[in-house]
Amino acid sequence: MAAMDGSKINQATLVLLVLALVVGTYGQTCPNQLANLNVCAPFVVPGSTDLMPNSDCCGALQSIDRDCLCSTIQVATRLPTQCNLPVTCGN
């Protein structure tokens, strides 16, 4: 298996941290739903040439409970600030 570079390890760590935080809030259902989003990885990894999600990704996203998805997004957007990591995103 090829070694992962530091940025991919950081991304994987962030995903696991978000999942752990959601587990505390929603029990096992939400993390199980979020785990199904692995099929979307090719479309969200920086530098990917796959720009349009396929039907598997869209189906996985559509199957997630709205509260689970919204809470996960809220947690993910708060993490950099809470960890004193200044992040400026843009094109």
Side-chain angles (χ1 to χ4, degrees):
M1 184 161 90
M4 294 177 70
D5 67 22
S7 66
K8 289 185 181 179
I9 291 171
N10 288 341
Q11 291 170 356
T13 302
L14 179 60
V15 169
L16 291 174
L17 179 59
V18 169
L19 286 173
L21 290 170
V22 173
V23 168
T25 305
Y26 288 97
Q28 293 298 319
T29 303
C30 185
N32 291 340
Q33 292 174 8
L34 294 174
N36 292 332
L37 289 178
N38 288 337
V39 297
C40 297
F43 310 103
V44 298
V45 174
S48 173
T49 57
D50 292 326
L51 301 178
M52 294 298 295
N54 61 21
S55 60
D56 290 339
C57 175
C58 292
L61 187 60
Q62 291 170 351
S63 71
I64 296 175
D65 177 76
R66 182 182 284 295
D67 289 339
C68 171
L69 182 61
C70 291
S71 293
T72 302
I73 291 170
Q74 290 171 349
V75 167
T77 58
R78 285 193 318 255
L79 282 176
T81 301
Q82 291 175 334
C83 294
N84 297 316
L85 178 67
V87 176
T88 303
C89 300
N91 293 342

